[in-house]
Amino acid sequence: MSREVEVLISKEEIEKRVKELSREIESCFSSPFTVISLLNGGFIFTADLVRSFKVPVNIDFMRVKSYKGKSRGSLELLYPPELNLKDKKVLLVDDIFDSGESLNFAVNYLKSLGAKEVKTCVLLFKERKRELPLKPDFFGFKVPDFFVVGYGLDLNGMYRQIPYIGILKE
Ligand code: 5GP
Ligand code: MG
C-alpha cells in the first residue's frame, strides 16, 4: 500500500536549485570532468543535474550497498564504474548525505582507482550529528533528520518516481 506523502521540497524548488547547483559546480570545477552517479538513489538527481550542465561531461555509475543496522563501515561495492578514472577529475553525485558513510566509501574507492580529484554533490544534506569529518562539496538543501522519499529516494523501491521530496505520513 502506498502511503500519503507530505511535500517537504517542491518540484519547482528542486528544479530551481538544481540549475543553481549546476552553475556553481561548473564555476568551481574546470571542464572536462567525469560525473559518477551513485545508484540507486542518485539516478534522478544526476539525470537533471547533467542535463543542466553547459559543459560536456563523461557520465558513469557505481553502486554501493550498505547494510543498515549493522556496524559502521559495513559497505560493499556492487558495481564499479566502467570508465578509466586514472588522473581524472570526478564529481560524485548522490541523493542524500546521512551518516556520510556511503559517500566516504565511494570517494575512497574512486581515489584508489587513481582519480586526480574527487568532489561530491548531494541533493540533500541531513542535519544531524555524525562522526565523519567528510562534508559534501556541494549540496542542494539541508533537511531535518527525518526519513524522506521521492526524487530518487525510496522506501523498499517505492516512491522514487515522486517528483518532489516528501515525508511519509503515518
Ligand atoms: P549514508 O548514511 O551512508 O550517508 O546514507 C546511505 C544511503 O541511505 C543514502 O545514499 C540513501 O540512499 C539512504 N538514505 C539515507 N537517509 C535516507 C532517507 O531519509 N530516505 C531515504 N529514502 N533514503 C535514505
Ligand atoms: Mg543512496
Side-chain angles (χ1 to χ4, degrees), residues 30-92:
S30 62
S31 186
F33 60 93
T34 302
V35 173
I36 299 290
S37 177
L38 263 186
L39 296 174
N40 294 336
F43 82 115
I44 289 185
F45 176 43
T46 307
D48 283 345
L49 188 70
V50 296
R51 285 180 296 173
S52 192
F53 284 143
K54 295 188 170 140
V55 297
V57 288
N58 273 313
I59 305 170
D60 203 349
F61 302 88
M62 69 184 277
R63 187 161 178 204
V64 169
K65 186 161 180 60
S66 57
Y67 296 93
K68 294 275 165 183
K70 290 199 184 167
S71 61
R72 245 189 91 179
S74 36
L75 285 151
E76 187 193 324
L77 180 75
L78 282 189
Y79 319 134
E82 278 180 38
L83 291 176
N84 181 356
L85 298 176
K86 185 142 177 48
D87 300 326
K88 296 284 192 275
K89 285 179 280 182
V90 174
L91 178 73
L92 177 63

